[in-house]
Amino acid sequence: SAGITANIVDEELAGRQLPAAVLEDIRACFTECDTARYAPASVSAAQKDHALRLLEGIIDQCERVRV
């Protein structure tokens, strides 16, 4: 089944005035989520907390730019 990937999100967000750092954070978040999805035993509680904080920051930045 087709899903949302970092590449699809990159395409959708192109030209929406998001700082490059936010786009990098989005890619990092996808990487961390993929790891948790495909190798859940390898992800620590601290890594899960980091991913949550990263996502909260992404949402905050997107709201500021009104994506």
Side-chain angles (χ1 to χ4, degrees):
S1 70
I4 296 175
T5 65
N7 290 339
I8 290 171
V9 173
D10 276 347
E11 290 173 12
E12 288 294 320
L13 295 178
R16 297 220 186 168
Q17 301 177 353
L18 275 174
V22 175
L23 296 174
E24 290 172 19
D25 285 348
I26 290 170
R27 288 184 207 102
C29 189
F30 269 92
T31 299
E32 290 183 26
C33 289
D34 283 346
T35 299
R37 179 177 180 191
Y38 297 110
S42 70
V43 180
S44 69
Q47 289 170 306
K48 291 175 187 176
D49 288 341
H50 176 262
L52 178 60
R53 286 190 307 276
L54 183 61
L55 184 55
E56 289 171 339
I58 291 166
I59 291 169
D60 183 55
Q61 287 292 326
C62 287
E63 287 175 341
R64 290 176 192 218
V65 177
R66 299 187 191 267
V67 172

Short mmCIF file of all heavy atoms in Angstrom, two decimals:
data_model
loop_
_atom_site.label_atom_id
_atom_site.label_comp_id
_atom_site.label_asym_id
_atom_site.label_seq_id
_atom_site.Cartn_x
_atom_site.Cartn_y
_atom_site.Cartn_z
N SER A 1 0.84 -1.19 0.00
CA SER A 1 0.00 0.00 0.00
C SER A 1 0.88 1.24 0.00
O SER A 1 1.94 1.26 0.58
CB SER A 1 -0.93 -0.01 1.21
OG SER A 1 -0.21 0.21 2.39
N ALA A 2 0.40 2.26 -0.63
CA ALA A 2 1.13 3.53 -0.70
C ALA A 2 0.94 4.27 0.61
O ALA A 2 -0.13 4.27 1.19
CB ALA A 2 0.63 4.36 -1.86
N GLY A 3 1.98 4.89 1.07
CA GLY A 3 1.91 5.64 2.31
C GLY A 3 2.58 6.99 2.15
O GLY A 3 3.12 7.31 1.10
N ILE A 4 2.52 7.74 3.20
CA ILE A 4 3.19 9.04 3.20
C ILE A 4 4.67 8.79 3.47
O ILE A 4 5.03 8.11 4.42
CB ILE A 4 2.59 9.96 4.26
CG1 ILE A 4 1.13 10.26 3.93
CG2 ILE A 4 3.39 11.26 4.35
CD1 ILE A 4 0.42 11.06 5.00
N THR A 5 5.50 9.36 2.63
CA THR A 5 6.94 9.24 2.78
C THR A 5 7.54 10.64 2.91
O THR A 5 6.89 11.64 2.61
CB THR A 5 7.58 8.54 1.57
OG1 THR A 5 7.39 9.36 0.42
CG2 THR A 5 6.97 7.16 1.34
N ALA A 6 8.79 10.67 3.33
CA ALA A 6 9.48 11.96 3.43
C ALA A 6 9.53 12.65 2.07
O ALA A 6 9.38 13.87 1.98
CB ALA A 6 10.88 11.75 3.99
N ASN A 7 9.69 11.88 1.01
CA ASN A 7 9.75 12.47 -0.34
C ASN A 7 8.41 13.12 -0.71
O ASN A 7 8.39 14.20 -1.31
CB ASN A 7 10.13 11.42 -1.37
CG ASN A 7 11.56 10.98 -1.24
OD1 ASN A 7 12.38 11.67 -0.67
ND2 ASN A 7 11.86 9.81 -1.75
N ILE A 8 7.31 12.46 -0.40
CA ILE A 8 6.00 13.02 -0.70
C ILE A 8 5.78 14.31 0.08
O ILE A 8 5.30 15.31 -0.46
CB ILE A 8 4.89 12.00 -0.39
CG1 ILE A 8 4.95 10.85 -1.41
CG2 ILE A 8 3.51 12.66 -0.41
CD1 ILE A 8 4.05 9.68 -1.08
N VAL A 9 6.17 14.30 1.33
CA VAL A 9 6.02 15.51 2.16
C VAL A 9 6.91 16.62 1.63
O VAL A 9 6.49 17.78 1.56
CB VAL A 9 6.32 15.20 3.65
CG1 VAL A 9 6.35 16.47 4.48
CG2 VAL A 9 5.28 14.22 4.20
N ASP A 10 8.13 16.29 1.22
CA ASP A 10 9.03 17.29 0.62
C ASP A 10 8.37 17.96 -0.58
O ASP A 10 8.41 19.18 -0.72
CB ASP A 10 10.35 16.65 0.16
CG ASP A 10 11.35 16.51 1.27
OD1 ASP A 10 11.17 17.12 2.34
OD2 ASP A 10 12.34 15.78 1.05
N GLU A 11 7.77 17.15 -1.43
CA GLU A 11 7.10 17.69 -2.63
C GLU A 11 5.94 18.61 -2.24
O GLU A 11 5.76 19.68 -2.84
CB GLU A 11 6.59 16.56 -3.51
CG GLU A 11 7.68 15.78 -4.19
CD GLU A 11 7.17 14.55 -4.91
OE1 GLU A 11 5.94 14.41 -5.07
OE2 GLU A 11 8.00 13.72 -5.31
N GLU A 12 5.16 18.20 -1.26
CA GLU A 12 4.00 18.99 -0.84
C GLU A 12 4.41 20.31 -0.17
O GLU A 12 3.71 21.31 -0.28
CB GLU A 12 3.12 18.19 0.12
CG GLU A 12 2.35 17.08 -0.55
CD GLU A 12 1.31 17.58 -1.53
OE1 GLU A 12 0.63 18.58 -1.25
OE2 GLU A 12 1.20 16.95 -2.59
N LEU A 13 5.53 20.30 0.53
CA LEU A 13 5.95 21.49 1.27
C LEU A 13 6.86 22.41 0.47
O LEU A 13 7.16 23.51 0.92
CB LEU A 13 6.64 21.07 2.57
CG LEU A 13 5.76 20.36 3.58
CD1 LEU A 13 6.58 19.95 4.80
CD2 LEU A 13 4.57 21.21 3.99
N ALA A 14 7.27 21.99 -0.70
CA ALA A 14 8.14 22.82 -1.52
C ALA A 14 7.48 24.17 -1.79
O ALA A 14 6.32 24.26 -2.16
CB ALA A 14 8.44 22.11 -2.84
N GLY A 15 8.22 25.22 -1.55
CA GLY A 15 7.73 26.56 -1.82
C GLY A 15 6.79 27.12 -0.77
O GLY A 15 6.14 28.14 -1.00
N ARG A 16 6.71 26.50 0.39
CA ARG A 16 5.79 26.99 1.42
C ARG A 16 6.49 27.79 2.52
O ARG A 16 5.95 27.95 3.60
CB ARG A 16 5.04 25.81 2.04
CG ARG A 16 4.18 25.11 1.03
CD ARG A 16 2.90 24.74 1.62
NE ARG A 16 2.14 23.94 0.67
CZ ARG A 16 1.07 23.28 0.98
NH1 ARG A 16 0.62 23.31 2.21
NH2 ARG A 16 0.42 22.59 0.07
N GLN A 17 7.67 28.25 2.25
CA GLN A 17 8.40 29.15 3.14
C GLN A 17 8.78 28.54 4.48
O GLN A 17 8.93 29.23 5.47
CB GLN A 17 7.61 30.45 3.37
CG GLN A 17 7.31 31.19 2.10
CD GLN A 17 6.46 32.42 2.35
OE1 GLN A 17 5.98 32.66 3.44
NE2 GLN A 17 6.25 33.20 1.31
N LEU A 18 8.94 27.22 4.50
CA LEU A 18 9.44 26.59 5.72
C LEU A 18 10.96 26.67 5.73
O LEU A 18 11.60 26.45 4.69
CB LEU A 18 9.04 25.12 5.77
CG LEU A 18 7.68 24.81 6.33
CD1 LEU A 18 7.38 23.32 6.18
CD2 LEU A 18 7.56 25.21 7.77
N PRO A 19 11.55 26.97 6.88
CA PRO A 19 13.01 27.00 6.96
C PRO A 19 13.60 25.62 6.63
O PRO A 19 12.98 24.58 6.91
CB PRO A 19 13.28 27.36 8.42
CG PRO A 19 12.01 28.01 8.89
CD PRO A 19 10.91 27.36 8.13
N ALA A 20 14.77 25.62 6.06
CA ALA A 20 15.44 24.36 5.70
C ALA A 20 15.60 23.46 6.91
O ALA A 20 15.49 22.23 6.80
CB ALA A 20 16.80 24.66 5.06
N ALA A 21 15.83 24.04 8.09
CA ALA A 21 16.01 23.23 9.30
C ALA A 21 14.74 22.44 9.63
O ALA A 21 14.82 21.31 10.11
CB ALA A 21 16.39 24.13 10.48
N VAL A 22 13.58 23.01 9.36
CA VAL A 22 12.33 22.31 9.63
C VAL A 22 12.17 21.14 8.66
O VAL A 22 11.77 20.04 9.06
CB VAL A 22 11.11 23.26 9.54
CG1 VAL A 22 9.81 22.50 9.70
CG2 VAL A 22 11.22 24.35 10.59
N LEU A 23 12.52 21.36 7.41
CA LEU A 23 12.46 20.27 6.43
C LEU A 23 13.42 19.14 6.82
O LEU A 23 13.08 17.96 6.70
CB LEU A 23 12.77 20.79 5.03
CG LEU A 23 11.77 21.80 4.47
CD1 LEU A 23 12.25 22.36 3.14
CD2 LEU A 23 10.40 21.18 4.34
N GLU A 24 14.59 19.50 7.34
CA GLU A 24 15.53 18.49 7.81
C GLU A 24 14.96 17.73 9.01
O GLU A 24 15.11 16.51 9.12
CB GLU A 24 16.86 19.14 8.18
CG GLU A 24 17.63 19.65 6.99
CD GLU A 24 18.86 20.47 7.39
OE1 GLU A 24 19.32 20.34 8.54
OE2 GLU A 24 19.35 21.23 6.54
N ASP A 25 14.28 18.47 9.91
CA ASP A 25 13.65 17.82 11.06
C ASP A 25 12.55 16.86 10.62
O ASP A 25 12.38 15.79 11.20
CB ASP A 25 13.05 18.87 12.01
CG ASP A 25 14.10 19.59 12.84
OD1 ASP A 25 15.27 19.15 12.85
OD2 ASP A 25 13.74 20.62 13.46
N ILE A 26 11.81 17.22 9.59
CA ILE A 26 10.75 16.34 9.07
C ILE A 26 11.38 15.05 8.54
O ILE A 26 10.91 13.96 8.85
CB ILE A 26 9.92 17.06 7.99
CG1 ILE A 26 9.08 18.16 8.63
CG2 ILE A 26 9.03 16.06 7.24
CD1 ILE A 26 8.40 19.09 7.65
N ARG A 27 12.45 15.18 7.79
CA ARG A 27 13.13 13.99 7.28
C ARG A 27 13.65 13.12 8.42
O ARG A 27 13.52 11.89 8.40
CB ARG A 27 14.26 14.38 6.35
CG ARG A 27 13.78 14.91 5.02
CD ARG A 27 14.94 15.21 4.06
NE ARG A 27 14.54 16.26 3.15
CZ ARG A 27 14.89 17.54 3.23
NH1 ARG A 27 15.71 17.94 4.19
NH2 ARG A 27 14.44 18.41 2.37
N ALA A 28 14.23 13.77 9.43
CA ALA A 28 14.74 13.03 10.60
C ALA A 28 13.61 12.32 11.33
O ALA A 28 13.77 11.18 11.77
CB ALA A 28 15.48 13.98 11.54
N CYS A 29 12.48 12.98 11.44
CA CYS A 29 11.33 12.38 12.11
C CYS A 29 10.86 11.14 11.35
O CYS A 29 10.56 10.11 11.96
CB CYS A 29 10.22 13.42 12.24
SG CYS A 29 8.85 12.86 13.26
N PHE A 30 10.81 11.22 10.02
CA PHE A 30 10.43 10.05 9.23
C PHE A 30 11.42 8.91 9.45
O PHE A 30 11.02 7.75 9.59
CB PHE A 30 10.35 10.40 7.74
CG PHE A 30 8.99 10.84 7.31
CD1 PHE A 30 8.65 12.18 7.31
CD2 PHE A 30 8.04 9.92 6.91
CE1 PHE A 30 7.39 12.60 6.92
CE2 PHE A 30 6.77 10.32 6.52
CZ PHE A 30 6.44 11.66 6.52
N THR A 31 12.70 9.23 9.49
CA THR A 31 13.72 8.20 9.72
C THR A 31 13.52 7.53 11.07
O THR A 31 13.54 6.30 11.19
CB THR A 31 15.13 8.81 9.63
OG1 THR A 31 15.30 9.35 8.31
CG2 THR A 31 16.20 7.77 9.90
N GLU A 32 13.29 8.34 12.11
CA GLU A 32 13.09 7.79 13.45
C GLU A 32 11.82 6.95 13.52
O GLU A 32 11.79 5.89 14.15
CB GLU A 32 13.05 8.92 14.48
CG GLU A 32 14.41 9.56 14.67
CD GLU A 32 14.41 10.64 15.74
OE1 GLU A 32 13.58 10.59 16.66
OE2 GLU A 32 15.27 11.54 15.65
N CYS A 33 10.76 7.41 12.87
CA CYS A 33 9.50 6.66 12.87
C CYS A 33 9.64 5.35 12.10
O CYS A 33 9.08 4.32 12.51
CB CYS A 33 8.37 7.51 12.31
SG CYS A 33 7.87 8.85 13.42
N ASP A 34 10.38 5.38 11.00
CA ASP A 34 10.61 4.15 10.25
C ASP A 34 11.38 3.14 11.09
O ASP A 34 11.07 1.94 11.08
CB ASP A 34 11.37 4.43 8.95
CG ASP A 34 10.49 5.01 7.87
OD1 ASP A 34 9.24 4.95 8.00
OD2 ASP A 34 11.05 5.52 6.88
N THR A 35 12.36 3.61 11.84
CA THR A 35 13.12 2.72 12.72
C THR A 35 12.20 2.10 13.76
O THR A 35 12.23 0.89 14.00
CB THR A 35 14.26 3.48 13.41
OG1 THR A 35 15.15 3.99 12.42
CG2 THR A 35 15.04 2.57 14.35
N ALA A 36 11.35 2.93 14.35
CA ALA A 36 10.42 2.43 15.37
C ALA A 36 9.42 1.44 14.77
O ALA A 36 9.02 0.47 15.42
CB ALA A 36 9.69 3.59 16.02
N ARG A 37 9.05 1.68 13.54
CA ARG A 37 8.08 0.79 12.89
C ARG A 37 8.68 -0.56 12.52
O ARG A 37 8.07 -1.61 12.73
CB ARG A 37 7.54 1.47 11.63
CG ARG A 37 6.55 0.61 10.88
CD ARG A 37 6.00 1.34 9.69
NE ARG A 37 5.04 0.50 8.99
CZ ARG A 37 4.54 0.76 7.81
NH1 ARG A 37 4.89 1.86 7.18
NH2 ARG A 37 3.69 -0.05 7.24
N TYR A 38 9.88 -0.54 11.95
CA TYR A 38 10.47 -1.76 11.42
C TYR A 38 11.42 -2.47 12.38
O TYR A 38 11.75 -3.64 12.18
CB TYR A 38 11.16 -1.48 10.09
CG TYR A 38 10.19 -1.03 9.03
CD1 TYR A 38 10.19 0.28 8.56
CD2 TYR A 38 9.23 -1.90 8.53
CE1 TYR A 38 9.28 0.70 7.61
CE2 TYR A 38 8.31 -1.49 7.58
CZ TYR A 38 8.34 -0.19 7.12
OH TYR A 38 7.43 0.22 6.19
N ALA A 39 11.88 -1.78 13.40
CA ALA A 39 12.77 -2.39 14.40
C ALA A 39 12.42 -1.85 15.78
O ALA A 39 13.24 -1.21 16.44
CB ALA A 39 14.22 -2.11 14.05
N PRO A 40 11.19 -2.08 16.24
CA PRO A 40 10.73 -1.47 17.49
C PRO A 40 11.57 -1.83 18.71
O PRO A 40 11.71 -1.01 19.62
CB PRO A 40 9.29 -1.96 17.63
CG PRO A 40 9.17 -3.14 16.74
CD PRO A 40 10.18 -2.95 15.65
N ALA A 41 12.14 -3.01 18.73
CA ALA A 41 12.93 -3.41 19.89
C ALA A 41 14.21 -2.61 20.02
O ALA A 41 14.80 -2.53 21.11
CB ALA A 41 13.25 -4.90 19.81
N SER A 42 14.63 -1.98 18.93
CA SER A 42 15.90 -1.23 18.95
C SER A 42 15.71 0.23 19.39
O SER A 42 16.68 0.96 19.49
CB SER A 42 16.56 -1.26 17.57
OG SER A 42 15.81 -0.48 16.66
N VAL A 43 14.47 0.64 19.66
CA VAL A 43 14.20 2.03 20.00
C VAL A 43 13.97 2.16 21.51
O VAL A 43 13.10 1.52 22.07
CB VAL A 43 12.96 2.55 19.23
CG1 VAL A 43 12.69 4.00 19.57
CG2 VAL A 43 13.17 2.39 17.73
N SER A 44 14.78 3.02 22.13
CA SER A 44 14.67 3.22 23.57
C SER A 44 13.59 4.24 23.90
O SER A 44 13.11 4.97 23.03
CB SER A 44 16.01 3.72 24.12
OG SER A 44 16.25 5.05 23.67
N ALA A 45 13.23 4.30 25.17
CA ALA A 45 12.25 5.29 25.62
C ALA A 45 12.76 6.71 25.36
O ALA A 45 11.99 7.59 24.97
CB ALA A 45 11.94 5.09 27.10
N ALA A 46 14.06 6.92 25.53
CA ALA A 46 14.63 8.25 25.29
C ALA A 46 14.51 8.62 23.81
O ALA A 46 14.23 9.78 23.49
CB ALA A 46 16.09 8.28 25.72
N GLN A 47 14.69 7.66 22.93
CA GLN A 47 14.55 7.93 21.49
C GLN A 47 13.10 8.25 21.13
O GLN A 47 12.84 9.12 20.31
CB GLN A 47 15.05 6.74 20.67
CG GLN A 47 16.55 6.58 20.71
CD GLN A 47 17.00 5.27 20.10
OE1 GLN A 47 16.53 4.21 20.50
NE2 GLN A 47 17.92 5.35 19.15
N LYS A 48 12.17 7.55 21.77
CA LYS A 48 10.75 7.83 21.54
C LYS A 48 10.40 9.24 22.02
O LYS A 48 9.69 9.98 21.34
CB LYS A 48 9.88 6.81 22.25
CG LYS A 48 9.96 5.43 21.64
CD LYS A 48 9.17 4.43 22.46
CE LYS A 48 9.39 3.02 21.97
NZ LYS A 48 8.71 2.03 22.80
N ASP A 49 10.92 9.61 23.18
CA ASP A 49 10.70 10.97 23.70
C ASP A 49 11.29 12.02 22.76
O ASP A 49 10.69 13.06 22.52
CB ASP A 49 11.29 11.13 25.10
CG ASP A 49 10.51 10.38 26.17
OD1 ASP A 49 9.33 10.04 25.93
OD2 ASP A 49 11.09 10.14 27.24
N HIS A 50 12.48 11.74 22.24
CA HIS A 50 13.11 12.67 21.31
C HIS A 50 12.26 12.84 20.05
O HIS A 50 12.06 13.97 19.58
CB HIS A 50 14.51 12.18 20.93
CG HIS A 50 15.16 13.05 19.90
ND1 HIS A 50 15.17 12.74 18.56
CD2 HIS A 50 15.80 14.24 20.02
CE1 HIS A 50 15.79 13.69 17.90
NE2 HIS A 50 16.17 14.61 18.75
N ALA A 51 11.75 11.74 19.52
CA ALA A 51 10.91 11.81 18.33
C ALA A 51 9.65 12.63 18.60
O ALA A 51 9.23 13.43 17.75
CB ALA A 51 10.54 10.41 17.84
N LEU A 52 9.07 12.47 19.78
CA LEU A 52 7.88 13.24 20.13
C LEU A 52 8.21 14.73 20.22
O LEU A 52 7.48 15.56 19.67
CB LEU A 52 7.30 12.74 21.45
CG LEU A 52 6.07 13.50 21.96
CD1 LEU A 52 4.92 13.43 20.96
CD2 LEU A 52 5.64 12.95 23.31
N ARG A 53 9.30 15.07 20.86
CA ARG A 53 9.70 16.49 20.96
C ARG A 53 10.00 17.06 19.58
O ARG A 53 9.66 18.20 19.28
CB ARG A 53 10.89 16.65 21.90
CG ARG A 53 10.52 16.49 23.36
CD ARG A 53 11.66 16.90 24.29
NE ARG A 53 12.93 16.24 23.98
CZ ARG A 53 13.28 15.04 24.41
NH1 ARG A 53 12.45 14.35 25.15
NH2 ARG A 53 14.44 14.53 24.10
N LEU A 54 10.64 16.27 18.74
CA LEU A 54 10.95 16.70 17.37
C LEU A 54 9.66 16.99 16.62
O LEU A 54 9.52 18.03 15.97
CB LEU A 54 11.76 15.62 16.66
CG LEU A 54 12.25 15.90 15.25
CD1 LEU A 54 13.17 17.11 15.22
CD2 LEU A 54 12.96 14.68 14.70
N LEU A 55 8.69 16.10 16.72
CA LEU A 55 7.41 16.29 16.04
C LEU A 55 6.66 17.51 16.58
O LEU A 55 6.08 18.27 15.81
CB LEU A 55 6.56 15.03 16.16
CG LEU A 55 5.24 15.04 15.41
CD1 LEU A 55 5.45 15.34 13.92
CD2 LEU A 55 4.53 13.72 15.59
N GLU A 56 6.70 17.71 17.88
CA GLU A 56 6.06 18.89 18.46
C GLU A 56 6.68 20.17 17.91
O GLU A 56 5.97 21.13 17.60
CB GLU A 56 6.15 18.86 19.98
CG GLU A 56 5.28 17.80 20.62
CD GLU A 56 5.52 17.61 22.10
OE1 GLU A 56 6.61 17.99 22.61
OE2 GLU A 56 4.63 17.05 22.76
N GLY A 57 8.00 20.18 17.76
CA GLY A 57 8.68 21.34 17.19
C GLY A 57 8.31 21.57 15.73
O GLY A 57 8.12 22.71 15.30
N ILE A 58 8.17 20.48 14.99
CA ILE A 58 7.77 20.58 13.58
C ILE A 58 6.37 21.18 13.49
O ILE A 58 6.13 22.09 12.69
CB ILE A 58 7.82 19.20 12.91
CG1 ILE A 58 9.27 18.72 12.77
CG2 ILE A 58 7.13 19.23 11.55
CD1 ILE A 58 9.40 17.25 12.42
N ILE A 59 5.47 20.68 14.30
CA ILE A 59 4.09 21.20 14.29
C ILE A 59 4.08 22.68 14.65
O ILE A 59 3.40 23.48 14.00
CB ILE A 59 3.20 20.39 15.24
CG1 ILE A 59 3.00 18.97 14.68
CG2 ILE A 59 1.85 21.08 15.46
CD1 ILE A 59 2.37 18.00 15.66
N ASP A 60 4.84 23.06 15.66
CA ASP A 60 4.91 24.46 16.07
C ASP A 60 5.40 25.34 14.93
O ASP A 60 4.81 26.39 14.64
CB ASP A 60 5.83 24.60 17.29
CG ASP A 60 5.89 26.01 17.80
OD1 ASP A 60 4.83 26.60 18.10
OD2 ASP A 60 7.03 26.55 17.92
N GLN A 61 6.46 24.92 14.25
CA GLN A 61 7.00 25.70 13.14
C GLN A 61 6.00 25.79 11.99
O GLN A 61 5.84 26.84 11.37
CB GLN A 61 8.31 25.08 12.64
CG GLN A 61 9.46 25.29 13.57
CD GLN A 61 9.88 26.76 13.65
OE1 GLN A 61 9.80 27.50 12.68
NE2 GLN A 61 10.31 27.17 14.82
N CYS A 62 5.32 24.68 11.69
CA CYS A 62 4.33 24.69 10.60
C CYS A 62 3.17 25.62 10.93
O CYS A 62 2.66 26.32 10.05
CB CYS A 62 3.82 23.28 10.34
SG CYS A 62 5.02 22.20 9.52
N GLU A 63 2.76 25.66 12.18
CA GLU A 63 1.68 26.56 12.58
C GLU A 63 2.10 28.01 12.46
O GLU A 63 1.30 28.87 12.08
CB GLU A 63 1.23 26.26 14.00
CG GLU A 63 0.43 24.97 14.12
CD GLU A 63 0.08 24.60 15.54
OE1 GLU A 63 0.71 25.11 16.50
OE2 GLU A 63 -0.84 23.77 15.70
N ARG A 64 3.35 28.30 12.75
CA ARG A 64 3.85 29.68 12.65
C ARG A 64 3.86 30.16 11.20
O ARG A 64 3.60 31.32 10.93
CB ARG A 64 5.25 29.79 13.23
CG ARG A 64 5.29 29.65 14.72
CD ARG A 64 6.70 29.66 15.20
NE ARG A 64 6.74 29.26 16.59
CZ ARG A 64 7.55 29.78 17.47
NH1 ARG A 64 8.42 30.71 17.11
NH2 ARG A 64 7.54 29.37 18.71
N VAL A 65 4.17 29.25 10.30
CA VAL A 65 4.23 29.61 8.88
C VAL A 65 2.85 29.43 8.24
O VAL A 65 2.62 29.92 7.15
CB VAL A 65 5.29 28.73 8.15
CG1 VAL A 65 5.33 29.01 6.67
CG2 VAL A 65 6.66 28.95 8.76
N ARG A 66 1.98 28.77 8.95
CA ARG A 66 0.61 28.48 8.47
C ARG A 66 0.64 27.60 7.23
O ARG A 66 0.07 27.95 6.19
CB ARG A 66 -0.18 29.75 8.23
CG ARG A 66 -0.35 30.57 9.47
CD ARG A 66 -1.27 31.72 9.20
NE ARG A 66 -1.25 32.67 10.29
CZ ARG A 66 -2.09 32.64 11.31
NH1 ARG A 66 -3.02 31.73 11.39
NH2 ARG A 66 -2.02 33.55 12.25
N VAL A 67 1.32 26.49 7.36
CA VAL A 67 1.42 25.53 6.25
C VAL A 67 0.08 24.89 6.03
O VAL A 67 -0.62 24.49 6.88
CB VAL A 67 2.50 24.47 6.55
CG1 VAL A 67 2.50 23.36 5.51
CG2 VAL A 67 3.85 25.11 6.62
#
